[in-house]
Amino acid sequence: MSNARDDDDNDDDWDDGIDSQDDDLSDELTIPCPSCRREIFEDSPRCPYCERYLSEEDRTWPSQPAWIVATALVCLAAILWWMLRGS
């Protein structure tokens, strides 16, 4: 009978380990995503489901390559010069 008692003690230890892991996971706060309404972690910068940023300050804006900006400025200067020369 002592073997059966030892098995019961081991089962209790195993259950305690599972419960403590569940408690660790439940400590993380979740909120609904403003876009898709799925539950996500509160400290996430983006929703893993719809991939939208939760706040504008977390959003990264893609920078324009320098050649696009330079080309736009040259075109604007050429148009301005053409308009002023024609007057």
Side-chain angles (χ1 to χ4, degrees):
M1 286 256 177
S2 65
N3 289 341
R5 177 154 176 101
D6 290 340
D7 289 341
D8 290 340
D9 290 341
N10 290 339
D11 288 342
D12 291 341
D13 293 340
W14 184 76
D15 288 341
D16 289 340
I18 297 296
D19 291 341
S20 66
Q21 287 176 357
D22 289 341
D23 290 342
D24 292 342
L25 293 176
S26 65
D27 289 345
E28 302 257 350
L29 297 176
T30 60
I31 58 170
C33 171
S35 299
C36 68
R37 310 309 278 166
R38 287 181 156 178
E39 289 293 319
I40 58 172
F41 291 118
E42 183 178 34
D43 58 350
S44 298
R46 279 176 43 160
C47 174
Y49 303 105
C50 67
E51 296 186 0
R52 293 192 180 194
Y53 286 93
L54 301 182
S55 68
E56 288 297 319
E57 56 201 30
D58 289 334
R59 181 182 203 117
T60 56
W61 296 99
S63 62
Q64 296 291 336
W67 67 270
I68 292 176
V69 174
T71 302
L73 290 175
V74 168
C75 289
L76 287 173
I79 291 171
L80 183 63
W81 176 79
W82 181 72
M83 289 176 68
L84 291 175
R85 187 181 68 91
S87 296

